[in-house]
Amino acid sequence: MKRITLLIVGVLLIPFFSTAGGIVTNQNQSAAYIRMFARDASTDIDAVFFNPAGLTKLNDGFYISLNYQYIKQNKVVTSNYVNLATMPTSPTEYNGEINVPIFPGLYAAYKKGKFVVSFGVNPVGGGGGATFDKGLPSFEMPVSDLVPTLQAQDQPVTAYSLNAYFEGSSAFWGYQLGASYEINDIFSIYLGARYVSAKNTYAGHLTDVNITYLGTEISATDFFANAAAKLQPLTDGLGALVLGGAGDLTLDQALEMSIIDATTYAQLTGGLTQAGVPTSVTIVQGFGAVSGAERAAYVLADQDNVEVEQTGSGFTPIIGINISPNDKLNIGLKYEFMTKLELENNTTTDFIIDYDPLTNTPTGMFPDGEKIRNDMPALLAVGFDYKITDKFKVASGFHYYFDKSADYGRKLNGVHVDNKDVIDRNSTEFALGLEYKLSDKMLLSIGYLNTQTGVTEDYQTDLSYSQHSNTVGFGGAYAISKGIDLNVGFGYTVYNDARKIYDATDALGFSHTTIETYDKDNLFVSFGLDFKLGGNKTE
């Protein structure tokens, strides 16, 4: 029953909710971005985030930008693991939904002469909540192993069921402050930093784990508790020997060394034989085998009102350069250093993933006070804006995320690994946008964004996966008055199907070639108001 102890492993490892951007980084930080995606050479107020050195192209004055987005993501995971309930007729499908009802962004800048001071607040990572009404393969696979495991013990068990619900939210707020300086008409520079405050919250339950025994659905916990009660004398006897330091011996060796007498030897060997455990195993192995029912009963008991919070913070130095060779071309460059984040668990009620009958000690998934790494990678962004005519502009952007150098807290078989062990190459993005002025007050735009991820199959899990994607956006801007502009954008992301083929070992030790597929899509709706106090942008 050892695999039952892994039932909740990975359940709460919900990653940042990354929308348009890298694996853990959000780039969708303004309504203008959603309507065209290429803002890396922006000289508008959203340049606070995208091209802060370009803020020197503003006229003197005070500028504010308020941005709002609604984002929805649908996720579909399928698994053909052999023991799942709907197999072998078809893969089992799991659906999840992530809603971000309010994804805000606030930018402010003050320009005087050659200097600009700017400030921004936005969700640089996360920002959403995930709900899985029926769980995921990693939740159900250990429970599905109950049927073949018990059948192998000649138990008349034919089916299983469970009630799993998990939800999590993630918000990594960035507070950015910096200064830009115009060296001359061609070159401007920026130096700043972002303080990142990270918070993940998780809640859920795992209840009603049942098995069908002799045609009747019964509680799995009750079944294993009854089995444990019958084995209790044997468990107590072996446990006493383990605590006494004889755990590495066999019962034969313990008898030869006079650690036990002949009567105790006969009782314990007879008990192991009845339990189907070879008497040649060590005492500690025998104890583990006969106490498996007690462990399973404890772990499979109803777990309600789980409540976990993770918090941490870090700093991101940022530098930028803006280059304007002529009136038609503008080039923006930005480099964000890696943000080292270490999140600490604040656990009110934990998921129980194991239980030690010897010491009567449960093991939680997220021990209170434990710390894990969850970095944000360094980023290089390069953008170009080119005015083909006074009314028509083309823009492009390129993002390079240094994923392999960061630490996302990934694990393989329960062991922490570096990003370079599960990522072949750093992820990249390319954006292209077109903007056309219909009049002095109104313009329309359209954009395209291509994202290429570099993760390996070992990186992918049903809760955290990364895929290549293509995103289209469109919208426009309207000058409500001389000092107020409205931006509206709509976007939709289609992700390439991804899959993972791996050998899943069941509770009996048999290996099964298992295929999981991953799919999702994003919908964006965005609005933004830009206030210009003290002057319009210089053309």
Side-chain angles (χ1 to χ4, degrees), residues 74-134:
N74 297 306
K75 309 183 77 167
V76 180
V77 177
T78 67
S79 174
N80 72 342
Y81 181 64
V82 66
N83 292 331
L84 291 174
T86 59
M87 288 300 295
T89 56
S90 64
T92 304
E93 183 174 290
Y94 302 83
N95 294 282
E97 185 176 282
I98 297 178
N99 277 299
V100 188
I102 300 177
F103 190 98
L106 166 66
Y107 307 109
Y110 177 75
K111 180 175 182 290
K112 181 68 173 179
K114 294 180 177 291
F115 287 95
V116 184
V117 177
S118 59
F119 175 75
V121 181
N122 48 7
V124 292
T131 300
F132 303 94
D133 288 329
K134 296 182 180 179

Side-chain angles (χ1 to χ4, degrees), residues 17-22 25-34 37 39 49-50 67-71 100 103-105 107 122-126 399 401 429 449 471 493 522-526:
F17 174 66
S18 182
T19 51
T25 307
N26 295 333
Q27 283 292 331
N28 52 307
Q29 298 296 348
S30 73
Y33 176 88
I34 298 301
F37 292 121
R39 302 294 294 174
F49 177 82
F50 295 104
N67 296 269
Y68 161 84
Q69 293 177 54
Y70 166 77
I71 307 167
V100 188
F103 190 98
Y107 307 109
N122 48 7
V124 292
H399 303 149
Y401 300 91
E429 288 183 310
L449 177 71
T471 307
T493 303
N522 288 341
L523 173 67
F524 306 86
V525 179
S526 62

Side-chain angles (χ1 to χ4, degrees), residues 24 83 92 94 132 158 230 260 316 356 364 420 422 441 506:
V24 300
N83 292 331
T92 304
Y94 302 83
F132 303 94
T158 56
K230 294 177 182 178
I260 57 175
T316 313
D356 185 354
K420 63 183 179 181
V422 291
K441 285 184 170 291
D506 64 20

Side-chain angles (χ1 to χ4, degrees), residues 130-154:
T131 300
F132 303 94
D133 288 329
K134 296 182 180 179
L136 283 167
S138 58
F139 311 157
E140 189 172 344
M141 286 167 63
V143 176
S144 74
D145 285 349
L146 288 174
V147 175
T149 300
L150 293 173
Q151 287 176 345
Q153 300 172 10
D154 296 325

Side-chain angles (χ1 to χ4, degrees), residues 54-243:
L55 292 170
T56 59
K57 297 299 179 181
L58 296 171
N59 278 350
D60 287 1
F62 183 62
Y63 299 78
I64 297 177
S65 179
L66 305 176
N67 296 269
Y68 161 84
Q69 293 177 54
Y70 166 77
I71 307 167
K72 182 177 181 179
Q73 184 179 94
N74 297 306
K75 309 183 77 167
V76 180
V77 177
T78 67
S79 174
N80 72 342
Y81 181 64
V82 66
N83 292 331
L84 291 174
T86 59
M87 288 300 295
T89 56
S90 64
T92 304
E93 183 174 290
Y94 302 83
N95 294 282
E97 185 176 282
I98 297 178
N99 277 299
V100 188
I102 300 177
F103 190 98
L106 166 66
Y107 307 109
Y110 177 75
K111 180 175 182 290
K112 181 68 173 179
K114 294 180 177 291
F115 287 95
V116 184
V117 177
S118 59
F119 175 75
V121 181
N122 48 7
V124 292
T131 300
F132 303 94
D133 288 329
K134 296 182 180 179
L136 283 167
S138 58
F139 311 157
E140 189 172 344
M141 286 167 63
V143 176
S144 74
D145 285 349
L146 288 174
V147 175
T149 300
L150 293 173
Q151 287 176 345
Q153 300 172 10
D154 296 325
Q155 297 290 344
V157 175
T158 56
Y160 71 91
S161 62
L162 73 161
N163 180 359
Y165 174 84
F166 301 94
E167 62 177 328
S169 66
S170 178
F172 286 58
W173 285 96
Y175 304 87
Q176 180 179 326
L177 179 65
S180 307
Y181 177 72
E182 182 183 63
I183 299 174
N184 52 43
D185 290 341
I186 297 177
F187 294 100
S188 298
I189 58 174
Y190 171 83
L191 179 63
R194 179 184 298 125
Y195 172 74
V196 178
S197 175
K199 180 178 180 181
N200 295 331
T201 62
Y202 309 104
H205 65 253
L206 178 66
T207 62
D208 303 326
V209 179
N210 295 332
I211 57 175
T212 301
Y213 182 80
L214 290 174
T216 302
E217 190 173 36
I218 64 172
S219 165
T221 295
D222 291 344
F223 175 87
F224 287 111
N226 291 333
K230 294 177 182 178
L231 294 171
Q232 194 61 52
L234 178 60
T235 303
D236 291 342
L238 294 173
L241 291 173
V242 173
L243 290 174

